[in-house]
Amino acid sequence: GQNIDQPTEMTATEGAIVQINCTYQTSGFNGLFWYQQHAGEAPTFLSYNVLDGLEEKGRFSSFLSRSKGYSYLLLKELQMKDSASYLCAVRDKDYKLSFGAGTTVTVRA
Amino acid sequence: NAGVTQTPKFRVLKTGQSMTLLCAQDMNHEYMYWYRQDPGMGLRLIHYSVGEGTTAKGEVPDGYNVSRLKKQNFLLGLESAAPSQTSVYFCASRPGQGESQPQHFGDGTRLSIL
């Protein structure tokens, strides 16, 4: 199984940068995903990492270190619309995802 | 292109009642999943399917049954609803190939068991 940990809440100011950490213990690692979920809505895909290193997508970047069981999601130039829950999910060899409990990010003006 | 559609969106049941949640996807995806989401616990996998006619148990399958008679549909059944099954249920699907392909989620079904 998977054990996935991420902080419960983070608060940041509009225009700032926030880094959301995710640590995992896994049997059969086959990729790590980050999803964004606004309150009352469906999760939407943000990023995917399977090899070590940084993946950049506009204002969002995601990093993976497989040897450390560690990933982070970096949100730059924060906007009010970035206030949401961010879910870290680890995929196993059977293509099943195990999710962390999510990190609620609040962006203040 | 509707993506993943869940019906109903909301439902209130009494303990002991039965119901079926429907998930339909129009993306020709092989894999389909049912999750429940509870406060502070994240998404937990109930059952999943790797293709038409197949189903498998996830992390929390007790009290639920599923069927995948058609590739585009994945049904989740509650035979005798219990208050512990009050939750938000999400369906997801993904293609059978493509390592980087993510799961696509429906908008969820909010279910309350009284």
Side-chain angles (χ1 to χ4, degrees), chain A residues 7-98:
Chain A
T8 302
E9 296 180 332
M10 302 183 75
T11 301
T13 306
E14 196 174 15
I17 298 173
V18 69
Q19 177 175 313
I20 305 169
N21 296 324
C22 173
T23 58
Y24 62 90
Q25 294 172 317
T26 181
S27 55
F29 178 83
N30 189 24
L32 188 143
F33 292 80
W34 284 96
Y35 282 82
Q36 180 190 60
Q37 185 178 25
H38 285 100
E41 298 183 6
T44 55
F45 169 70
L46 285 178
S47 69
Y48 166 72
N49 296 73
V50 67
L51 299 176
D52 291 352
L54 187 69
E55 294 284 340
E56 297 189 83
K57 259 189 182 182
R59 295 189 298 113
F60 294 178
S61 303
S62 57
F63 172 82
L64 175 67
S65 169
R66 288 172 296 171
S67 62
K68 295 182 179 179
Y70 169 69
S71 173
Y72 68 73
L73 179 70
L74 195 68
L75 286 63
K76 294 177 278 190
E77 301 170 15
L78 279 173
Q79 301 176 10
M80 298 301 289
K81 66 179 182 179
D82 297 330
S83 291
S85 183
Y86 292 85
L87 314 179
C88 174
V90 175
R91 187 174 66 188
D92 66 17
K93 297 294 186 186
D94 295 324
Y95 291 89
K96 302 194 303 292
L97 291 180
S98 294

Side-chain angles (χ1 to χ4, degrees), chain B residues 38-83:
Chain B
D38 302 292
M41 300 189 71
L43 287 154
R44 291 182 292 168
L45 183 64
I46 304 171
H47 285 281
Y48 65 102
S49 168
V50 299
E52 181 179 315
T54 75
T55 63
K57 294 181 179 179
E59 181 187 354
V60 288
D62 293 342
Y64 305 95
N65 56 76
V66 287
S67 65
R68 183 98 183 268
L69 299 179
K70 293 183 179 181
K71 186 177 183 178
Q72 63 267 34
N73 295 336
F74 195 29
L75 306 179
L76 178 70
L78 286 72
E79 290 186 348
S80 180

Side-chain angles (χ1 to χ4, degrees), chain B residues 91-113:
Chain B
C91 176
S93 70
R94 75 174 296 274
Q97 294 182 343
E99 293 295 311
S100 64
Q101 290 295 322
Q103 292 183 17
H104 300 266
F105 285 81
D107 288 336
T109 295
R110 283 145 187 83
L111 186 61
S112 293
I113 316 296

